[in-house]
Amino acid sequence: MQEAVLKIQEIGAPPEGFTDIENIPPDEILDLWDAYEDAVISIIQPVTWEEAEILITCCPTDRMAGIEWSLLHCIESCIPGNDFEKNPQVMEKYKNLINTCNSDMMKEMLYMRLGSQ
């Protein structure tokens, strides 16, 4: 298990408000966002299925200046080649994984990208 994935599991879903520049959050929140970002960009792809199961439950529920896309790519990497047409069981398993996502925003993004496969 990658240390970066365990760090994300420890942090959980980051607090909302990352893009609210009018109300600067307290330092504790900023520190959490920094730790989350550092962990996401430290993840080595492809991730294992077990790592993807952790990441999918710790997704941001709000935009995070692109970090949400980095995490999405990590989650997607658990299926090498994303070759779902040849293996419908993998497609079904991956859809079930997406359904466990804590974030409606990320779930929508993952399904949108799955539809374009």
Side-chain angles (χ1 to χ4, degrees), residues 24-70:
I24 297 179
D27 287 342
E28 299 83 32
I29 300 294
L30 293 174
D31 290 344
L32 270 177
W33 284 333
D34 287 344
Y36 189 89
E37 178 180 16
D38 289 346
V40 169
I41 62 176
S42 297
I43 295 171
I44 298 168
Q45 297 180 37
V47 301
T48 65
W49 188 264
E50 183 182 7
E51 290 169 334
E53 288 176 322
I54 291 170
L55 297 174
I56 200 86
T57 63
C58 301
C59 291
T61 56
D62 199 6
R63 302 269 179 217
M64 286 188 71
I67 297 304
E68 68 276 9
W69 284 103
S70 296

Side-chain angles (χ1 to χ4, degrees), residues 6-102:
L6 294 174
K7 182 64 177 176
I8 290 173
Q9 184 178 35
E10 178 186 322
I11 295 169
E16 292 185 356
F18 186 83
T19 57
D20 184 6
I21 58 175
E22 292 180 20
N23 297 313
I24 297 179
D27 287 342
E28 299 83 32
I29 300 294
L30 293 174
D31 290 344
L32 270 177
W33 284 333
D34 287 344
Y36 189 89
E37 178 180 16
D38 289 346
V40 169
I41 62 176
S42 297
I43 295 171
I44 298 168
Q45 297 180 37
V47 301
T48 65
W49 188 264
E50 183 182 7
E51 290 169 334
E53 288 176 322
I54 291 170
L55 297 174
I56 200 86
T57 63
C58 301
C59 291
T61 56
D62 199 6
R63 302 269 179 217
M64 286 188 71
I67 297 304
E68 68 276 9
W69 284 103
S70 296
L71 183 65
L72 179 140
H73 293 299
C74 291
I75 293 166
E76 288 178 331
S77 76
C78 74
I79 307 292
N82 291 335
D83 195 5
F84 298 114
E85 290 179 12
K86 293 181 182 174
N87 195 337
Q89 292 84 10
V90 172
M91 170 73 88
E92 194 60 35
K93 184 177 179 183
Y94 185 64
K95 284 181 179 179
N96 289 337
L97 177 71
I98 293 172
N99 284 334
T100 65
C101 186
N102 66 297

